[in-house]
Amino acid sequence: MNRLPLQAVLFDMDGTLVDTERLWWEAVEQVAGRALTEADRPEVLGRPVEYTAAWLAAITGTVAADLADTLHREFADRVRTGIVPRPGALALLDALARAGVPTALVTASPRAVADTVLDALGADRFAVSVTADDTPHTKPAPDPYLAACRALGVDPAVCVAVEDTETGVASAEAAGCAVLAVPSLAPIEAAPGRTVLASLEGVTADRLRSLLPYRLRVMTWNLWYGGTKVRDHRAKQLKVIAETDVDVVGLQETYGGAAGELAEALGWHHHSAGPNLGIISRLPITAVLGDPDVGFYGAAGARIAVGDQEVEVWTAHLDAEHYGPYESEPLTHEQVRTGQMRDTLRRISGAAPVVLVGDFNSPSHLDRPDVEWPVTRAAEEAGFGDSFREARPDAVRDPGHTWSPVHAHPEPQDRIDFVLHRGLRVLHSRTYVSGTPRTWPDVEDNDWPSDHAAVITTFSLGSGSGTV
């Protein structure tokens, strides 16, 4: 089972790495001139100085800017004399350094306070630090965590944020990070993508890696008469699957036995349906879906276990007659393909997550706005996103042509093979062709054993939650 690789760990400061929540509480009490109560927590914990100063100003009638300066001073004085690392914090930072995992400090405190703490902890422990002074909006907005990820050059989806307050957790989750919550003063509930621990003691780099989502890499591939137009096609197909490191492949034009033969050679699971469709998966197939006796055109599906979750994966092949760009009236035959697409959509359950791949034999309305191509529009109206266009929204810069690497001009070059999804997060998507294929009819020695390009999309799939 492949999890996404851990690229960075992003640490909150106050209450997470150092025991400053108590110091901040005391500073606010000093400035407020009274003891704080449970009712005051939302206005004090996890909030930037300016927020708490404005809250105090509304209560006391004092100028907020003056209160902010006093709060800064009171808190900084306490930090200099009373900073205490949280249990397990320094050991975890050292373990991540040994493992070569970059770390960042992400705090709602001002730069002056953060630098004081960094001096105490060792500024060289962190590749990046982001404070309340560094972004237009601080926690609970996602800005601080997004800024840290940009500075590190990493995707939030492959980072774990370590937080101690609901405000900080909200910020990290809004940025797209997995979260380890270690509550300091107020409890935090576990949730999808969020794990709650009582302490950082005993937490290791491997434990943090286990919090990341699973990777699901899906390919759609029309095999072109099973690949039989190319010499040694089966060996070349296996090479493509190995070098792309995919988890699931939705196949069209299987020529009857391709799915089973590929799966047997790989040691994978498979589902074959009708003379044309198949799904092969390195992950277990827990159920097969759709009509097993589907004709040459239609759809077939399988339910696939990804960790402790399941994903439906469907492969579809729509009618190839009267391809729209060939026709003087482009939409004449699209009602046939649209009917097939709507039939496929009716067979798919309402549950998410779902991946729908296939050769639709129709361009996308997202690529050719001059024609309202109805097949992809029908899928969009059913809640399916186009993973390639989500990852590459500029259709001019990234046309993503899949038809055809071997049929040259004047044959139209179009994107007619798709990886659609509902309920997943797209990390990356690309088309794929190996080598430099020669054009028809001189194709038998091509490294690429198809007349379509494949499409490969990498998704992230949440890893659940836990409380210890």
Side-chain angles (χ1 to χ4, degrees), residues 92-105:
L92 178 55
L93 287 168
D94 291 342
L96 291 168
R98 290 192 299 271
V101 179
T103 58
L105 188 74

Side-chain angles (χ1 to χ4, degrees), residues 325-365:
Y326 295 161
E327 305 296 316
S328 57
E329 296 292 332
L331 298 182
T332 300
H333 198 67
E334 290 304 302
Q335 61 182 339
V336 174
R337 283 182 280 272
T338 305
Q340 293 170 338
M341 171 58 78
R342 293 193 188 282
D343 179 68
T344 297
L345 295 170
R346 282 192 294 269
R347 294 175 184 272
I348 296 173
S349 73
V354 182
V355 181
L356 169 60
V357 311
D359 169 11
F360 296 171
N361 279 309
S362 175
S364 171
H365 69 286

Side-chain angles (χ1 to χ4, degrees), residues 13-16 18-30 36 41 44-46 74-75 78-79 81-86 164-165 184-185:
M13 184 179 77
D14 301 315
T16 300
V18 290
D19 190 9
T20 52
E21 295 287 9
R22 174 181 52 83
L23 303 180
W24 173 241
W25 191 266
E26 291 172 359
V28 176
E29 285 186 325
Q30 177 67 29
L36 298 178
R41 284 184 187 277
V44 177
L45 293 185
E74 290 287 341
F75 183 51
R78 285 168 171 78
V79 167
T81 59
I83 188 170
V84 177
R86 296 280 290 169
D164 75 308
T165 66
S184 56
L185 294 178

Side-chain angles (χ1 to χ4, degrees), residues 10 12 15-16 86 160-166 168-170 172-173 178-184 186-191 193-200 203 207-208 211 466-468:
L10 316 173
D12 172 56
T16 300
R86 296 280 290 169
V160 173
V162 186
E163 274 283 356
D164 75 308
T165 66
E166 289 186 349
V169 166
E173 290 180 343
V179 171
L180 171 60
V182 186
S184 56
I188 298 172
E189 295 296 322
R194 181 196 311 167
T195 296
V196 182
L197 297 178
S199 166
L200 291 177
V203 176
R207 180 72 174 94
L208 294 179
L211 306 184
T467 303
V468 176

Side-chain angles (χ1 to χ4, degrees), residues 55-374:
W55 169 67
L56 287 173
I59 295 171
T60 64
T62 308
V63 176
D66 293 341
L67 286 170
D69 289 342
T70 305
L71 285 168
H72 276 305
R73 185 171 59 254
E74 290 287 341
F75 183 51
D77 287 346
R78 285 168 171 78
V79 167
R80 291 187 190 96
T81 59
I83 188 170
V84 177
R86 296 280 290 169
L90 297 184
L92 178 55
L93 287 168
D94 291 342
L96 291 168
R98 290 192 299 271
V101 179
T103 58
L105 188 74
V106 184
T107 178
S109 292
R111 172 60 62 182
V113 173
D115 286 345
T116 301
V117 173
L118 285 168
D119 287 342
L121 292 177
D124 59 345
R125 293 181 184 274
F126 303 93
V128 169
S129 62
V130 177
T131 75
D133 300 334
D134 300 325
T135 57
H137 306 285
T138 190
K139 304 174 186 180
D143 303 40
Y145 280 102
L146 293 175
C149 290
R150 284 193 297 269
L152 291 169
V154 298
D155 189 317
V158 288
C159 297
V160 173
V162 186
E163 274 283 356
D164 75 308
T165 66
E166 289 186 349
T167 301
V169 166
S171 174
E173 290 180 343
C177 302
V179 171
L180 171 60
V182 186
S184 56
L185 294 178
I188 298 172
E189 295 296 322
R194 181 196 311 167
T195 296
V196 182
L197 297 178
S199 166
L200 291 177
E201 289 186 294
V203 176
T204 64
D206 285 342
R207 180 72 174 94
L208 294 179
R209 289 188 184 97
S210 74
L211 306 184
L212 288 175
Y214 293 111
R215 183 203 80 173
L216 182 65
R217 184 169 291 158
V218 180
M219 178 163 74
T220 186
W221 198 8
N222 182 311
L223 296 182
W224 191 24
Y225 294 100
T228 56
K229 300 294 184 181
V230 175
R231 199 190 319 269
D232 297 325
H233 60 277
R234 192 70 78 230
K236 291 173 180 177
Q237 291 165 345
L238 291 168
K239 183 174 183 291
V240 167
I241 293 167
E243 65 193 11
T244 54
D245 191 29
V246 293
D247 301 306
V248 181
V249 187
L251 301 169
Q252 308 88 44
E253 292 197 34
T254 59
Y255 222 45
E261 292 174 19
L262 288 169
E264 182 178 3
L266 292 162
W268 284 18
H269 310 270
H270 85 282
H271 169 47
S272 297
N276 180 42
L277 296 169
I279 294 169
I280 61 174
S281 172
R282 75 164 81 233
L283 307 172
I285 292 176
T286 61
V288 296
L289 308 167
D291 180 2
D293 298 320
V294 62
F296 190 81
Y297 296 116
R303 189 171 296 121
I304 293 171
V306 185
D308 57 358
Q309 302 176 68
E310 291 187 328
V311 179
E312 283 191 21
V313 178
W314 288 77
T315 180
H317 193 195
L318 307 186
D319 193 276
E321 294 298 315
H322 303 290
Y323 178 54
Y326 295 161
E327 305 296 316
S328 57
E329 296 292 332
L331 298 182
T332 300
H333 198 67
E334 290 304 302
Q335 61 182 339
V336 174
R337 283 182 280 272
T338 305
Q340 293 170 338
M341 171 58 78
R342 293 193 188 282
D343 179 68
T344 297
L345 295 170
R346 282 192 294 269
R347 294 175 184 272
I348 296 173
S349 73
V354 182
V355 181
L356 169 60
V357 311
D359 169 11
F360 296 171
N361 279 309
S362 175
S364 171
H365 69 286
L366 299 176
D367 298 349
R368 290 171 166 251
D370 54 318
V371 177
E372 185 65 14
W373 298 101

Side-chain angles (χ1 to χ4, degrees), residues 373-403:
W373 298 101
V375 171
T376 53
R377 176 68 78 181
E380 182 180 79
E381 290 172 352
F384 281 86
D386 183 331
S387 67
F388 186 85
R389 274 291 157 254
E390 287 182 30
R392 303 173 183 272
D394 190 332
V396 175
R397 185 179 64 191
D398 293 307
H401 295 155
T402 62
W403 180 263

